[in-house]
DNA sequence: CGGCATCCGAATGGATACTG
DNA sequence: CAGTATCCATTCGGATGCCG
C-alpha cells in the first residue's frame, strides 16, 4: 500500500493529468514551504513571510493564490483596520501538508549523507 | 513524531541551510517525478525520459546531475556499444523517494476535492 | 543511445513603488 | 497590514546540431 500506482484514475507522469499541475503547485519553489509553515497552524500574511525566509511578497502572494485555488489553503479576511488576513490549511490541505512535512523529515534524516556526498564531489 | 521541528540541526525555512537547496532539488519541477519514477526500480536514460512525459533531454540530464550530486541517485555507465547508462536510487534516495511517493499518494487522495474547488473558482 | 554545447524566446522571480 | 503594479535581471527550458 501507499504506492502511487494504486490510483488508476490519475497519472502524475502524464502532462495532461490535472494532478501534474497540482503537484507543481505543491512541490514548487515556495509551495512546499508554505504548506509546511501552515502545518503548525494558521498564520497571517506577514507572519508567513517572516517564517519562509527569502520569499518575496510577490511570490508568497502568488503561491497562496495557487494553493487557495486548489482548495488546499483557506483565506480569511477579517476586514478590520489595520487589515488582518489569516491563512490556514483546509481538510485536504492538512492531508497534503502532512505528507510534505514527512518529506522534509525524510530529507533531514538523510541530509548528513547528502552533505558528505556533496563534499566529495 | 515525524515533525520537522524535531531536527534542531537543520531548518529548511532558512535560506542558508543546505537542506533548502536539497529540498529544491527534490521538489523541483522534475525532481519529484524523477525520484518517483526510480522508486519502481532502476531505469535507463531513455526509459526515464519516456516515463516522465514532457521532460526534455536537457532538463532530465540536469535533474539527474543534481540528484546525483546530492547522493540520492547513482549513475552506472556500462560503457558498451551502443551506450547504456542506468540510473538508480541510492539508500538515502530510497528514503526520500518513498516520501515523495507518499506525497503523490496523498495528492491523488485529495484530487477530487481539488478539482471541484477549481471548477467552482 | 546517451549525452553536451549553443542559441534564444518564455517564464520566473526579486526590488521598488504605490494603494486601500 | 496586506496586498497590487511595474520594471528588470536571471533562469528555465525547448530546438538544434554535434560527439563517443
Amino acid at each position: 500500500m501507499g504506492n502511487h500506482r494504486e490510483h488508476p484514475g490519475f497519472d502524475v507522469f502524464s502532462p495532461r493529468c490535472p494532478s501534474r499541475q497540482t503537484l507543481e503547485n505543491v512541490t514548487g519553489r515556495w509551495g512546499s514551504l508554505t504548506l509546511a509553515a501552515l502545518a503548525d497552524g494558521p498564520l497571517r500574511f506577514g507572519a508567513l513571510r517572516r517564517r519562509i525566509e527569502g520569499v518575496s511578497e510577490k511570490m508568497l502572494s502568488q503561491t497562496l493564490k495557487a494553493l487557495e485555488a486548489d482548495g488546499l489553503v483557506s483565506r480569511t479576511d477579517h476586514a478590520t483596520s489595520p487589515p488582518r488576513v489569516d491563512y490556514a490549511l483546509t481538510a485536504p490541505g492538512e492531508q497534503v501538508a502532512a505528507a510534505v512535512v514527512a518529506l522534509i523529515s525524510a530529507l533531514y534524516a538523510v541530509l548528513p549523507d547528502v552533505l558528505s556526498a556533496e563534499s566529495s564531489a
Side-chain angles (χ1 to χ4, degrees), chain A residues 63-81:
Chain A
T63 301
L64 285 168
K65 247 178 222 186
L67 293 176
E68 195 194 352
D70 284 339
L72 299 177
V73 165
S74 68
R75 195 189 109 109
T76 306
D77 190 338
H78 293 269
T80 55
S81 180

Side-chain angles (χ1 to χ4, degrees), chain A residues 1-86:
Chain A
M1 60 179 247
N3 195 295
H4 55 293
R5 284 167 299 183
E6 290 172 12
H7 292 260
F10 304 119
D11 179 17
V12 83
F13 291 105
S14 166
R16 256 93 47 200
C17 182
S19 64
R20 179 83 163 251
Q21 177 60 50
T22 303
L23 179 69
E24 286 182 13
N25 290 342
V26 169
T27 64
R29 179 111 184 255
W30 304 112
S32 53
L33 290 174
T34 301
L35 290 175
L38 290 175
D40 294 338
L43 286 175
R44 300 179 57 172
F45 186 86
L48 260 178
R49 181 151 159 52
R50 278 185 301 275
R51 178 99 174 93
I52 307 170
E53 297 175 48
V55 71
S56 69
E57 220 174 349
K58 176 183 171 183
M59 284 304 104
L60 180 56
S61 180
Q62 228 172 62
T63 301
L64 285 168
K65 247 178 222 186
L67 293 176
E68 195 194 352
D70 284 339
L72 299 177
V73 165
S74 68
R75 195 189 109 109
T76 306
D77 190 338
H78 293 269
T80 55
S81 180
R84 179 196 176 101
V85 181
D86 282 315

